[in-house]
Amino acid sequence: MQRNRLTTTAVALTAALGLAACGAGNDASTATAGAASTPAATAAASSGSTPAAAASNTSNASKTSNASTSSELLADNAKAHAEEGDPAYDAEDVVKVRLQDGASSASTQTGVQIDGDTVTISAPGTYVVSGTLTDGTIVVNSADEGRVRLVLDNAAVTNSQGAALNIVAADEAVVVLEEGTTNSLADGTGYDTSAEDAPNAALFSMADLTIGGSGTLKVTGNTNDGIASKDGLVILGGTVDVTAADDGIRGKDYLVVQGGTVTVTAGDDGLKSDNEDDDTVGYILLAGGTTTVDAGDDGAHAEGDLAVTGGSVTITKSNEGLEGANVVIAGGTSSVTASDDGLNATQGSSSGGGGMGGGGMANDGSQLVISGGTLVVDSGGDGLDSNGQTTISGGTTVVYGPTMNGNGSLDSNGGIDVTGGTVLAAGSGGMAEAPDTSSTQGWVQLGFSSNVTAGQTVQIVSGDTVIASFTAKKDYSNLVFVGDDITSGQSYDVYVGSGSLGSDQLATFSLGGSTDGATKVGSVTAGQATGGMGGPR
């Protein structure tokens, strides 16, 4: 991309500064790398109680080149199939299935066939499943219209030859986790998944799949995925703990987390939606509940759009944290740790780079939109990376970016437009980028001649008022701050303090604070880029 290097005066920080620690500040708005205390702004992504369609992928480059708000990007995707009441059932109208090696049984033969340790459900209805199969499987194969509801009531199934729960066909399948129960599904190691539509997960579904209730489900995918649906997948509730050799939880058409507690440990992507044939699908929506991911590759990867609109999302380990054709943060509390890019919006059409094949210098039409919520990113590569445009209009965003000069805490091929919200982004200086000068929200960029080291506190001051205080957990040489109290064209003083801070005081950001014990090292003019790759194009 074409960028202009600006030759404004940088704020100098010399290695000889041996300054005492400055006041940490006790303002109400504080964010840390582990969790941010700023109240999350929640953006409605659904109508009533129906889990919503999420971000759109409408031939993404043509649509998103002009879209700049989360509502525009969340408008066009296919509506998710599930509703809040889907897990509810009448206890008087159920078929009870008891699992037992070599001796499984059912309260009625209607809709249930038992062949050795294979239990097949062939009709719509509600089936309460309990007991254990140490090497067997539950198969759902219902050609009739109507919901198949499986209530897991302390059920444990392991299948050495394939999926523990294999939904071959159903109008819609609902797995209910009975209150107070712990259930488990596990597949074997190394079985053949090469055939088209072959089951490749411990819980596999060819139909729309909903998981709800308030019990616990532990899923182990030893060969490939943990939970996979070839249609849509919605999690409404329950405690879902997934460990997988490949992807943790995959919904081909879409993956929606509306509630519950979801924990994923995956060898490849943690959360995934990979339908790229239809521009209304392939999306991930994290709208509620608590989601925690430890991934060998991407924390969450959508071929379409990826949106966080509510709940708590924590990516504890990943290559790239949140990646999609468009990435939207509209609410909730998100913490992302990534060895490469923290957030990556890419259509995958630019040359070079990694991830989805993007990362080139051309604007590929993708959008990174932040309109609400609290986001904390700790990245080894770019912190916020868009191969198209970045638009920020609300929320609180803190980025602990890269220490190497080949990346920046902010990186956007199509420019960074900021109209609201608070942003604090620190990282290396070689590729540092600032917001566009056309941004209506005030910003400052500080370019330091030598690294600010972990434990030192940098403060931006107007007169006697501390606008913001920041203590990073790793070294950086460039800092961008965007906030309501910054006015373009005005000069702001920069103070630096250092000392013996405890580990609990590192990685903190607050609006306000005190300059006690800190030393003024220079001044900076709002709206002017200092070093790096500059801002306006």
Side-chain angles (χ1 to χ4, degrees), residues 23-27 459 464-469 510-516:
N26 55 5
D27 216 60
Q459 296 178 310
D464 295 328
T465 302
V466 176
I467 303 299
S469 300
S510 66
L511 300 178
S514 168
T515 58
D516 291 347

Side-chain angles (χ1 to χ4, degrees), residues 186-209:
D187 61 4
T189 301
Y191 58 89
D192 185 10
T193 63
S194 61
E196 184 176 2
D197 295 333
N200 63 352
L203 197 174
F204 180 82
S205 179
M206 291 294 297
D208 286 332
L209 174 63

Side-chain angles (χ1 to χ4, degrees), residues 281-292:
V281 291
Y283 68 83
I284 294 175
L285 170 61
L286 305 177
T290 299
T291 302
T292 304

Side-chain angles (χ1 to χ4, degrees), residues 6-282:
L6 302 185
T7 57
T8 53
T9 302
V11 178
L13 175 68
T14 66
L17 288 176
L19 306 175
C22 66
N26 55 5
D27 216 60
S29 298
T30 303
T32 69
S37 62
T38 305
T42 301
S46 60
S47 175
S49 60
T50 304
S56 69
N57 184 28
T58 310
S59 189
N60 289 294
S62 62
K63 176 174 130 6
T64 60
S65 59
N66 295 317
S68 60
T69 67
S70 57
S71 60
E72 290 176 296
L73 290 174
L74 298 177
D76 295 340
N77 276 343
K79 182 180 178 181
H81 65 273
E83 296 183 355
E84 292 290 347
D86 286 352
Y89 67 96
D90 183 355
E92 301 299 320
D93 186 21
V94 302
V95 176
K96 294 184 178 181
V97 178
R98 179 67 182 175
L99 305 177
Q100 184 177 346
D101 291 340
S104 295
S105 61
S107 59
T108 174
Q109 296 303 307
T110 303
V112 181
Q113 292 81 44
I114 298 173
D115 182 6
D117 288 328
T118 298
V119 176
T120 302
I121 294 170
S122 58
T126 298
Y127 302 83
V128 178
V129 181
S130 60
T132 300
L133 288 176
T134 58
D135 193 5
T137 184
I138 299 173
V139 176
V140 175
N141 193 357
S142 172
D144 297 333
E145 184 176 350
R147 182 178 294 118
V148 176
R149 184 182 290 108
L150 297 180
V151 181
L152 300 186
D153 184 7
N154 286 317
V157 180
T158 299
N159 181 9
S160 64
Q161 301 301 312
L165 173 52
N166 182 11
I167 301 167
V168 176
D171 184 29
E172 180 184 337
V174 180
V175 173
V176 182
L177 310 178
E178 187 70 4
E179 181 179 4
T181 68
T182 298
N183 308 276
S184 64
L185 300 171
D187 61 4
T189 301
Y191 58 89
D192 185 10
T193 63
S194 61
E196 184 176 2
D197 295 333
N200 63 352
L203 197 174
F204 180 82
S205 179
M206 291 294 297
D208 286 332
L209 174 63
T210 303
I211 299 174
S214 58
T216 297
L217 175 62
K218 297 182 179 181
V219 179
T220 304
N222 290 303
T223 289
N224 204 59
D225 297 347
I227 301 174
S229 170
K230 299 287 282 190
D231 277 343
L233 173 54
V234 176
I235 298 176
L236 296 176
T239 298
V240 180
D241 189 344
V242 177
T243 301
D246 193 48
D247 301 329
I249 302 177
R250 179 166 57 92
K252 185 176 180 64
D253 287 351
Y254 50 81
L255 170 58
V256 176
V257 178
Q258 189 81 6
T261 300
V262 178
T263 303
V264 175
T265 302
D268 199 62
D269 297 334
L271 309 177
K272 191 168 189 174
S273 183
D274 56 357
N275 190 337
E276 53 186 336
D277 296 330
D278 186 331
D279 60 14
T280 68
V281 291

Side-chain angles (χ1 to χ4, degrees), residues 366-427:
S366 57
Q367 289 276 326
L368 171 56
V369 175
I370 300 174
S371 61
T374 299
L375 169 66
V376 178
V377 174
D378 182 354
S379 66
D382 296 326
L384 307 182
D385 184 7
S386 175
N387 288 332
Q389 186 178 23
T390 297
T391 303
I392 301 174
S393 61
T396 298
T397 301
V398 178
V399 178
Y400 304 97
T403 58
M404 303 299 291
N405 279 330
N407 293 289
S409 58
L410 303 176
D411 181 30
S412 183
N413 291 5
I416 302 171
D417 182 38
V418 184
T419 61
T422 300
V423 180
L424 193 294

Side-chain angles (χ1 to χ4, degrees), residues 423-441:
V423 180
L424 193 294
S428 57
M431 297 290 289
E433 185 176 348
D436 294 345
T437 55
S438 58
S439 295
T440 57
Q441 184 81 320

